[in-house]
Amino acid sequence: MNEVKCECGHVNPHGTVLCEACGRVLDEKEKDRKLVDMRYEGSARRSQTYDKTIVDKIWNFFSSVKVGIWLIVITLIASALGTILPQEMYIPPNIPPEQYYLDEYGTFGKLYVEFGFHNLYGSWWYLILVASIGISLVICSLDRVIPLYRALKAQKVSRHEGFLKRQRLFGISTGANSNIDLEQIKINLRDKRYSIREEDGNLLAEKGRFSRWGPYVNHIGLIIFLLGAMLRFVPGMYVDKVLWIREGETKAIPGTNGQYYLSSDKFILEVYDKEKDKEVFSDALGKMGAVAKNYQSNVTLLEREGDAIPGEEPNLKKVKDYSIKVNEPLKYDNYALYQVDYKLDELDKMHFNLINKKSEESFGEIEIDLYNPKLKYELNKGYSVQLMNYFPDFEFDENGDPVTKSPVPNNPAFIFKMFTPDNPEGEVSFVAIQQTVEPFGDNEYKMAFAGIETKNVSALTVRKDLTLWVIGLGGAIFMIGVIQGAYWNHRRIWIQPKSGEVWIAGHTNKNWHGLKREINMVIKDTGIHEPIDQTQEQEKKIS
Amino acid sequence: MAEISSNLLYSAFIIYLVATLVFGGAIKDKKTEKEKKQSKWAVMGFGLTILGFAAQLGYFVTRWIASGHAPVSNLFEFTTFFGMMLVGAFIIIYSIYRTAALGVFTLPVAILVIAYGSMFPRDISPLIPALQSDWLHIHVTTAAAGQAILSVSFAAGLIFLVKAVDQTKSSKQTFWLETVMFGLICTLAFVIVSSVFSGLDYKESFNWVDKKGKEAVMEYSLPALAGPHKGELLEGNFEPIAEMPAIINAKKLNTVIWSIGGGLVLYGLLRLIFRKRVAALLRPLVKNINLDLVDEISYRSVLIGFPVFTLGALIFAMIWAQIAWTRFWGWDPKEVWALITFLFYAAFLHLRLSKGWHGEKSAWLAVIGFAIMMFNLVAVNLVLAGLHSYA
Amino acid sequence: MKKKQRLVIRTAILIILGAALAYSLYANLTKEKSEVLKLNAEAPDFVLTDMNGQKHKLSDYRGQGVFLNFWGTWCKPCEKEMPYMADQYKVYKDQGVQILAVNVGESEFAVQSFIDKHNLNFPVLIDAKDEVQSAYQVNPLPVTFLIDKEGKVVESITGSLTEEGVQKLMERIKP
C-alpha cells in the first residue's frame, strides 16, 4: 500500500525519505537541501505516516520525541519541587503533617501540604508522569528501531550520487587517479577495523553499527527497571517492617509470617576516642564532640520448625549468630535485617529496700522486673511487700489520678503495701522516681530506692525485596545500552571511483572529529584528498 | 603525612593558576586555526596541568593513607576531589581535541571549585558508621568523575557563548551570560571574603532564640549583616544591620549576603575599569575558536560523562543505599537532585537529536546542566536538609 | 490487511501499557489499605492462654461468632469500651457469641489488675510475643475484628465502641 519504488528497484515503505538501498532522495522536499538528514537513515517512521483512528492518535502522541522530552522536563521540575521541604516520610511520625509543616515552615509549609507536595513522589500524578515516560519509551523505541533496522539491513554499497554529495563529509579527488591506490585504502581501512563491502568497484567501509542499537538497549533497560518498580505493588514482593528488640528478648520477626525469630544478645554503641583512635582525628574530634564509631546488635537468628499457629510455643532452631552493623545487614532467605536505630539504657529492673524510717534498718531488698512485676515480694522474718498498682509510664490524668501513658517503663511509679510485724495490716506508699507519697498518713516504713538495671534496645529494619533482581537487571541493561551508544559510534565511508575521479563521503552518528581524523589516516599516501566538512563550509559562507 | 598532604594540595592549586596563564599565552601565540603543530605554550600549559594533577593526586593519596579512608567524606574533601576530577576530565578531553582555550576556561572553574571547597573545615575526621563501606570510595569517586566530565561540557559551552553571543548590543543572551559570569565572580568573592576574615581570625557570637523558643548560641565567622532572631551580641563588636525571623538560618543567609555583595563589588569594579561586559572582556581569548569544534567538545563531554555519572551517582548510589539505608531509593534531596541531573542530561541528549538544538542552544543547556550540579553540590548540602548533610 | 494488523498490534500494546498504569495507580492508592487484614477471608488462627491458664484456640470456636478485641491497659479508649463489652457479653454469651480480648503483650500484673478493676467476665489473653497482633496486622488500639460462625473476618473496627455499637456488632455475628 502506497509503497515507494525507487529508481534503483528497491521498494520502500510509505514515508521513506532516503531509499533504504541506494540512498536516493525520495522526498521532494528534501531534494533542494544541501545536506541530507541522516536521522534514522531517512527511514519511514510509521507513526508519522498514519493518523486515522484514536488508537493511532494516542500512539503518535507517545511516539513523539518532543512529547518524551516534555515529559522528562515536567518530571524534572516536579521532582525539584519535592525537595524544597522534607517529604512526609522524613518528618516525625507522631505529629499530623499539617501541623508539623505549619509549625516548622509557617504559611509556606501550610501551602506545601495543601498542594500535596509533602507526599509528592507518592502522589497519583507523579506516578502518571513516570508511567507516561515509560509508555513513551516503549512506543518511541518500537517506532524507530524497526525501520532503522530495515534501512541498515537493506543498504547497498553503491549509493546514489545525490546521497554522497549531500553527506556532511564529501570530497572529489580528480586528476592523477592512476595514482590512487584503492588497495592501500582497503588495507588502511581494515587496520582501522572497518568491515568492507565491495560492489562494482565501489567501497562501503562500516564500523560500529551495533552502537546504533545502544539507545534501544538502554530504553529496554529502563522499561525493565520501571517494571521492577511496579512489581513492588504485587503482594508478597516487598516487606518493610521495624523490629524494636531489647537485650535478652526473643521476638518473632515481623513480615516473615512467624517463620523467623530473633533474639538479641547485646546492643553496642562505640564512639571515637581522642586518645585511642588515630592521632590525625584528634583536631576534628576536639571540635565535633562525640562521633559515633559503631552501632552494632549482636543477635541470633532462629527459625521455627514445623507448623505452629500464632501464640503457640514455637519450636525454634538456631540458624546463626550475627553482629548486625550499619552497612553489614544480616541476610537470610531473601530477608535482610538492618541496624537503623537504638535506645540506650532503657529501664529494665528496679531495686528497693524496705527500711524503717527511724532506725534506717533494712529488712531486705526486692527486685522488680519492670516488664513483669510480681504481685507479692516475700522478705524474711514476716516482712513482705505487695504491689498494689504499677504505672510504667506514670503521669496524673485530668482528675489527678495516677495513670500510665504507655506500657514502656519510661517513668515507673508503684503503689506498695508494706507488711511488717509492726503493721500487719500493711502501710500504703506511692513511690515514683524521686518522690514518695503516703496517702494514709505517716508510715513507719518506706521503700527506699536501691538502684536500677537497664537494657539497650535495638531498632532493626526488616526488609524483603524480591524486585531487586529485576531492578538490577534493568539497571545493568541500561548501562550496557548507554555505554554502547555513547562510547562507540557508527561510522561509514563510501568510496566510489567515477570516470577519472574518486568520490569519498563519510558519515557518523556522532563524533565527527574522530571520523575526520580517521579518514585522514586512511587516505594518507593514497592520493585521495581530504573530504570537506560541508556544514563548516556552509557556516563560513554565512558568516 | 597530613602536613605533606595539605602542602601538596596547596602546590597543585598554584600550579593550576600558572597553567591557566600559560594556556592564555598559547591562545595569543596561536596564529591560525589550521596550524597542526601545537604551540610551545600549549604544550607547556598541558604539562603544567598534568604536574598539578599529579600533585593533587599526591594530596589525595597521602590524605587517604593518613586517615585510612578515601578523603571524600565531607564537603571540603568532596569538593576538592571534584576539582581534581575536573582537571582530570580536562586532561582527557584536551588530549582528544587539543584546544588551548578549553584550558583557559576549565582550569579557572576547577581552581574556583577547589578554593570554594577549601573554605569548609579541613580537619581529617573519622567516618561515621553509615560511611564505613568500600562503596564510599566507589560511589563518590565515580559520581564526582561523572560530574566533572559533564562540567567540561559547561566550559566548552561557555567558550561557545563567549564567542557566539553578539556583544555589540544588549540582549537576553548577553544578560544571561553576564549572570553566569556574575555567579562565578560571587564564588570568587565568597572565597576572598572567607579567607580574609578567617585570616583575621574574626569571630562573633550571639545569644539567640530559635523557632521553638529555645535560647542558643550562634557563632559567626563573618561580620553579621543579618543577625539571628532576637540576637544578643556576646562577642565581637559589630551590631547586625537587620534581624532575621527564627525560621531563617541567619548565619547561612549572612554568608550568602557577603558573597553576593562581594560579587557585586568585584563585578562593578570590572565593569567600571574596562567599560565592557565581562563576557566581552573574555572575547579575545576565544577569537581563534572553531565554533563547530567547541560544540562537538561540549556534546562529546556529555556523551562521555553521562554514563559515568549514571553509574556513579545513580547505580552505585542505589546499591550502597540498599546496603546502608535499607532501600535503594528513598527520595532524599541529594538522590532526587542526582535524578534531576540525570533527567536533564537525558533531555539534553534527546534534544540533540532534533534539529536546531546544536550550537548556541546546546551551549545554554550545558550551562544549565552545570548550574544544576552546582546546586546539588552547594544548596542541597547546605540548605535542604537530608541524609547527605555530612559537612 | 496490513493496516488492520497494525491497528491490532498498536491497540494491544496500548492496552497492556494502560493496564499496567491502571494497576499501579490502583495499588498506589490502596497501599495503606493493603496493610490491614483482608476482610471476608478466613481469620488467622491462633492459640493463647487466658489468665486462668486455659488455652483458647480460635478455630475451636467454629460455629460461634467471635468478637475479637485487641487492647492495652494504658489505652483510654480501650478502657472505655470494656464495660460495654462485659455487659453485652452477659446477653450474647448464651446466644453463641464469644468475646476474646487480646492484650498486646503487657505484664500479667498489669492485665490482672485491669481485669479486677473492671470485673471482666470474658477470657482475656496476653499476646506476649506479638505474634497474633502481627498476624492481624494490628496497629492503632483498640481494634475489634468480627468473626462469623464460618470463621471469616466480617469486619474490623478501629477505635472505641459505644454500648449500642457493641450490641449491634454482636447481633451481626450471632449464629
Side-chain angles (χ1 to χ4, degrees):
Chain A
M1 197 168 301
N2 281 336
E3 276 150 346
V4 190
K5 190 167 179 188
C6 175
E7 284 167 55
C8 74
H10 184 79
V11 180
N12 293 287
H14 173 67
T16 305
V17 183
L18 303 174
C19 171
E20 292 171 333
C22 71
R24 202 180 252 107
V25 182
L26 300 174
D27 190 328
E28 287 302 319
K29 273 181 278 176
E30 289 286 316
K31 279 189 179 156
D32 308 331
R33 301 173 64 143
K34 197 88 179 61
L35 291 176
V36 286
D37 181 2
M38 288 290 283
R39 285 185 302 154
Y40 316 111
E41 299 292 299
S43 59
R45 292 222 337 271
R46 294 178 191 192
S47 62
Q48 299 189 327
T49 52
Y50 305 101
D51 188 7
K52 297 239 170 71
T53 60
I54 177 89
V55 169
D56 287 332
K57 287 206 165 100
I58 297 174
W59 185 273
N60 293 351
F61 175 76
F62 282 110
S63 172
S64 152
V65 174
K66 208 168 154 191
V67 169
I69 294 171
W70 272 113
L71 286 172
I72 293 176
V73 171
I74 295 168
T75 311
L76 184 159
I77 294 167
S79 307
L81 285 176
T83 62
I84 301 173
L85 298 182
Q87 289 286 297
E88 194 182 4
M89 56 200 143
Y90 290 114
I91 68 166
N94 43 7
I95 310 171
E98 296 80 10
Q99 195 56 42
Y100 178 83
Y101 285 91
L102 182 64
D103 291 352
E104 292 284 312
Y105 309 104
T107 320
F108 179 73
K110 198 179 152 206
L111 283 172
Y112 202 74
V113 175
E114 266 165 34
F115 281 111
F117 288 168
H118 66 303
N119 185 21
L120 189 141
Y121 308 112
S123 67
W124 59 269
W125 59 271
Y126 192 79
L127 194 144
I128 288 181
L129 264 180
V130 175
S132 304
I133 291 181
I135 294 170
S136 162
L137 280 170
V138 172
I139 293 177
C140 276
S141 307
L142 275 178
D143 247 11
R144 284 169 179 76
V145 72
I146 296 166
L148 179 66
Y149 177 77
R150 265 185 64 114
L152 285 177
K153 214 178 157 205
Q155 62 171 338
K156 283 203 299 190
V157 175
S158 305
R159 286 259 153 161
H160 185 250
E161 282 181 18
F163 177 84
L164 295 184
K165 270 192 206 159
R166 289 188 180 87
Q167 289 301 315
R168 178 168 161 185
L169 290 185
F170 176 69
I172 298 175
S173 309
T174 45
N177 79 321
S178 52
N179 299 338
I180 290 175
D181 187 352
L182 280 181
E183 285 312 306
Q184 185 58 42
I185 286 188
K186 277 195 250 172
I187 292 168
N188 292 350
L189 282 168
R190 281 207 185 90
D191 281 349
K192 293 275 163 207
R193 296 169 179 279
Y194 277 87
S195 71
I196 299 170
R197 281 159 65 197
E198 240 182 311
E199 207 178 270
D200 313 326
N202 298 333
L203 289 185
L204 164 57
E206 188 175 7
K207 79 172 179 187
R209 195 200 276 188
F210 81 101
S211 82
R212 294 294 286 270
W213 313 124
Y216 308 103
V217 173
N218 82 46
H219 285 178
I220 291 171
L222 283 176
I223 292 160
I224 295 175
F225 187 96
L226 290 176
L227 277 178
M230 214 183 87
L231 269 183
R232 180 176 292 188
F233 292 127
V234 176
M237 297 298 269
Y238 187 73
V239 167
D240 178 13
K241 304 268 180 198
V242 175
L243 170 63
W244 282 93
I245 190 164
R246 295 189 305 135
E247 289 168 337
E249 213 176 10
T250 298
K251 269 188 163 178
I253 302 177
T256 66
N257 298 321
Q259 197 189 350
Y260 292 104
Y261 285 72
L262 195 76
S263 74
S264 164
D265 179 42
K266 204 170 175 47
F267 172 79
I268 300 164
L269 166 68
E270 288 172 274
V271 289
Y272 284 99
D273 187 325
K274 242 194 327 197
E275 313 300 320
K276 285 184 203 143
D277 285 298
K278 282 196 178 185
E279 212 188 311
V280 282
F281 296 147
S282 62
D283 280 353
L285 290 174
K287 281 178 208 163
M288 290 195 283
V291 177
K293 186 180 184 180
N294 185 25
Y295 305 117
Q296 177 178 335
S297 300
N298 293 344
V299 297
T300 306
L301 179 69
L302 305 158
E303 186 172 7
R304 189 191 64 203
E305 278 193 318
D307 277 338
I309 53 175
E312 221 171 21
E313 197 55 45
N315 192 5
L316 297 178
K317 194 187 77 181
K318 179 170 147 183
V319 178
K320 61 172 155 184
D321 292 321
Y322 195 82
S323 301
I324 303 177
K325 297 179 191 173
V326 180
N327 274 309
E328 288 173 36
L330 163 60
K331 287 188 190 167
Y332 192 75
D333 183 27
N334 289 325
Y335 290 99
L337 288 169
Y338 297 86
Q339 178 69 50
V340 288
D341 203 354
Y342 64 92
K343 243 156 105 184
L344 289 182
D345 303 328
E346 197 171 84
L347 288 175
D348 184 56
K349 293 191 173 90
M350 274 183 124
H351 295 257
F352 291 96
N353 275 328
L354 175 63
I355 58 171
N356 184 300
K357 276 158 89 176
K358 265 195 206 125
S359 67
E360 299 207 343
E361 189 190 344
S362 168
F363 297 94
E365 186 181 300
I366 64 167
E367 178 192 272
I368 301 174
D369 182 342
L370 296 175
Y371 284 89
N372 192 13
K374 288 197 289 189
L375 188 60
K376 194 145 193 182
Y377 296 86
E378 294 290 346
L379 297 166
N380 294 330
K381 297 180 204 158
Y383 290 85
S384 71
V385 179
Q386 187 198 333
L387 186 57
M388 291 177 69
N389 217 334
Y390 165 48
F391 311 96
D393 198 356
F394 152 76
E395 66 174 2
F396 285 111
D397 70 1
E398 58 268 31
N399 305 324
D401 294 332
V403 290
T404 183
K405 278 194 288 226
S406 77
V408 184
N410 294 321
N411 181 25
F414 310 87
I415 299 176
F416 293 118
K417 201 169 200 178
M418 301 164 286
F419 296 97
T420 53
D422 309 348
N423 295 293
E425 296 294 306
E427 292 176 317
V428 175
S429 168
F430 176 85
V431 180
I433 291 176
Q434 305 217 327
Q435 73 180 79
T436 305
V437 179
E438 295 171 351
F440 307 117
D442 272 356
N443 292 338
E444 271 183 77
Y445 291 85
K446 73 168 185 181
M447 299 300 292
F449 175 72
I452 53 166
E453 287 174 36
T454 60
K455 276 186 174 169
N456 299 331
V457 194
S458 318
L460 306 170
T461 286
V462 183
R463 168 88 64 224
K464 176 172 94 168
D465 192 348
L466 296 182
T467 68
L468 282 181
W469 68 272
V470 184
I471 301 263
L473 180 73
I477 293 177
F478 174 79
M479 269 327 292
I480 291 170
V482 169
I483 289 171
Q484 186 180 342
Y487 294 166
W488 276 271
N489 10 90
H490 180 212
R491 296 177 179 176
R492 275 173 293 176
I493 301 168
W494 293 272
I495 296 170
Q496 296 189 2
K498 282 186 200 287
S499 55
E501 296 174 340
V502 173
W503 287 24
I504 182 166
H507 180 263
T508 181
N509 59 340
K510 44 186 78 104
N511 189 7
W512 290 87
H513 179 78
L515 178 67
K516 281 188 224 168
R517 281 211 303 191
E518 204 161 64
I519 288 180
N520 281 340
M521 281 187 261
V522 165
I523 59 175
K524 205 175 167 201
D525 305 324
T526 59
I528 295 182
H529 303 307
E530 188 185 342
I532 296 159
D533 186 333
Q534 302 199 67
T535 28
Q536 285 180 18
E537 290 299 305
Q538 273 179 342
E539 263 170 30
K540 266 184 201 156
K541 264 174 226 157
I542 296 164
S543 56
Chain B
M1 193 63 97
E3 184 105 355
I4 299 173
S5 179
S6 56
N7 285 338
L8 279 170
L9 181 62
Y10 193 64
S11 357
F13 187 81
I14 304 288
I15 297 171
Y16 292 151
L17 273 175
V18 178
T20 312
L21 295 177
V22 174
F23 270 123
I27 288 168
K28 231 178 145 191
D29 194 46
K30 210 172 175 184
K31 298 268 156 20
T32 56
E33 164 197 342
K34 282 267 159 180
E35 219 171 12
K36 282 276 137 77
K37 236 181 74 193
Q38 278 193 81
S39 78
K40 258 188 215 148
W41 287 99
V43 174
M44 223 163 83
F46 191 54
L48 277 172
T49 311
I50 290 175
L51 185 69
F53 184 75
Q56 202 179 354
L57 206 62
Y59 140 82
F60 186 76
V61 171
T62 45
R63 193 171 166 107
W64 188 328
I65 294 169
S67 68
H69 60 82
V72 287
S73 67
N74 60 29
L75 207 48
F76 159 70
E77 292 178 338
F78 178 77
T79 312
T80 47
F81 178 74
F82 171 64
M84 180 168 99
M85 286 287 111
L86 190 49
V87 176
F90 162 71
I91 290 173
I92 293 169
I93 305 280
Y94 181 85
S95 52
I96 301 175
Y97 292 99
R98 312 250 166 214
T99 311
L102 197 60
V104 184
F105 281 74
T106 317
L107 288 179
V109 174
I111 290 168
L112 216 47
V113 164
I114 295 170
Y116 171 79
S118 306
M119 298 302 114
F120 295 95
R122 270 170 282 180
D123 300 318
I124 297 182
S125 47
L127 291 182
I128 58 165
L131 294 181
Q132 294 165 12
S133 166
D134 287 334
W135 287 102
L136 171 68
H137 325 145
I138 302 168
H139 155 62
V140 182
T141 51
T142 339
Q147 289 190 330
I149 303 170
L150 292 172
S151 303
V152 174
S153 135
F154 159 71
L158 210 53
I159 296 174
F160 190 103
L161 293 173
V162 168
K163 170 134 186 174
V165 170
D166 182 5
Q167 294 288 354
T168 56
K169 57 179 192 286
S170 137
S171 61
K172 248 196 287 183
Q173 280 94 329
T174 56
F175 171 78
W176 285 111
L177 194 53
E178 287 309 285
T179 310
V180 174
M181 297 299 166
F182 179 66
L184 294 172
I185 290 171
C186 283
T187 316
L188 182 64
F190 167 76
V191 170
I192 295 173
V193 169
S194 310
S195 310
V196 166
F197 282 104
S198 87
L200 294 173
D201 217 8
Y202 190 88
K203 269 208 179 70
E204 265 181 35
S205 62
F206 289 89
N207 236 342
W208 71 294
V209 179
D210 70 10
K211 62 188 165 198
K212 294 207 174 76
K214 268 193 215 139
E215 282 207 13
V217 175
M218 191 183 271
E219 301 225 354
Y220 280 62
S221 45
L222 298 175
L225 300 172
H229 180 59
K230 296 190 177 163
E232 214 182 290
L233 196 59
L234 294 177
E235 184 192 341
N237 39 25
F238 186 85
E239 282 291 340
I241 293 170
E243 189 187 296
M244 294 297 122
I247 253 169
I248 286 171
N249 185 329
K251 188 185 168 187
K252 285 176 183 168
L253 184 69
N254 189 51
T255 310
V256 172
I257 292 173
W258 269 102
S259 307
I260 293 177
L264 278 173
V265 171
L266 278 179
Y267 182 82
L269 281 175
L270 283 172
R271 291 295 294 262
L272 265 177
I273 297 168
F274 295 102
R275 309 242 157 228
K276 260 184 190 176
R277 291 189 195 93
V278 175
L281 210 59
L282 294 174
R283 237 173 158 200
L285 293 174
V286 299
K287 63 176 190 291
N288 290 322
I289 283 294
N290 173 351
L291 280 182
D292 222 40
L293 185 67
V294 229
D295 181 50
E296 188 174 316
I297 294 175
S298 177
Y299 179 42
R300 196 78 197 289
S301 314
V302 174
L303 271 178
I304 298 174
F306 183 71
V308 180
F309 177 82
T310 311
L311 191 67
L314 292 171
I315 295 191
F316 288 161
M318 285 192 214
I319 295 174
W320 190 17
Q322 180 73 30
I323 295 169
W325 292 334
T326 83
R327 79 290 179 287
F328 58 87
W329 193 260
W331 300 108
D332 172 70
K334 196 93 179 178
E335 290 174 343
V336 176
W337 277 92
L339 175 70
I340 289 171
T341 313
F342 170 83
L343 288 174
F344 180 82
Y345 282 103
F348 178 108
L349 291 173
H350 284 95
L351 280 170
R352 284 293 298 209
L353 283 175
S354 40
K355 281 170 245 173
W357 283 87
H358 291 239
E360 195 181 320
K361 278 186 181 168
S362 166
W364 283 115
L365 287 178
V367 170
I368 298 170
F370 184 72
I372 291 176
M373 287 191 292
M374 288 306 102
F375 185 85
N376 199 1
L377 177 65
V378 179
V380 173
N381 273 50
L382 300 179
V383 183
L384 309 174
L387 297 168
H388 275 86
S389 309
Y390 295 123
Chain C
M1 198 51 227
K2 237 180 162 183
K3 244 184 188 171
K4 224 176 198 171
Q5 201 186 341
R6 192 194 71 235
L7 187 67
V8 170
I9 293 173
R10 285 185 174 185
T11 314
I13 293 173
L14 284 178
I15 286 175
I16 292 170
L17 293 172
L21 170 61
Y23 175 74
S24 308
L25 272 178
Y26 171 77
N28 187 44
L29 289 177
T30 55
K31 201 162 50 188
E32 266 110 62
K33 277 190 202 149
S34 70
E35 295 279 295
V36 299
L37 193 69
K38 252 202 190 145
L39 293 186
N40 295 319
E42 192 173 333
D45 200 7
F46 62 84
V47 181
L48 288 174
T49 312
D50 70 14
M51 304 306 288
N52 306 322
Q54 195 193 331
K55 283 197 171 181
H56 296 262
K57 189 174 185 187
L58 180 70
S59 50
D60 291 344
Y61 291 104
R62 225 24 92 75
Q64 294 185 51
V66 177
F67 186 99
L68 177 63
N69 178 267
F70 288 87
W71 66 281
T73 59
W74 76 93
C75 148
K76 282 274 162 61
C78 305
E79 193 168 358
K80 201 177 154 221
E81 65 184 4
M82 282 295 174
Y84 309 145
M85 282 158 58
D87 280 353
Q88 294 302 320
Y89 187 54
K90 284 176 201 150
V91 181
Y92 284 93
K93 188 162 82 174
D94 302 327
Q95 300 181 31
V97 177
Q98 179 66 40
I99 291 184
L100 296 176
V102 179
N103 175 275
V104 292
E106 291 177 86
S107 65
E108 280 190 31
F109 176 87
V111 174
Q112 191 59 53
S113 316
F114 189 87
I115 293 173
D116 296 346
K117 186 173 165 195
H118 294 283
N119 276 320
L120 301 183
N121 49 358
F122 42 77
V124 175
L125 320 167
I126 299 180
D127 180 27
K129 287 210 185 72
D130 296 359
E131 292 158 316
V132 181
Q133 293 162 69
S134 162
Y136 280 81
Q137 314 204 23
V138 171
N139 200 9
L141 294 178
V143 57
T144 303
F145 295 94
L146 295 185
I147 298 163
D148 69 7
K149 61 178 191 293
E150 268 98 45
K152 285 206 169 72
V153 183
V154 186
E155 203 178 341
S156 77
I157 307 100
T158 306
S160 196
L161 295 163
T162 57
E163 178 135 27
E164 201 190 345
V166 173
Q167 194 235 331
K168 272 190 185 149
L169 294 177
M170 296 217 164
E171 197 62 41
R172 263 187 80 181
I173 48 171
K174 192 171 77 176

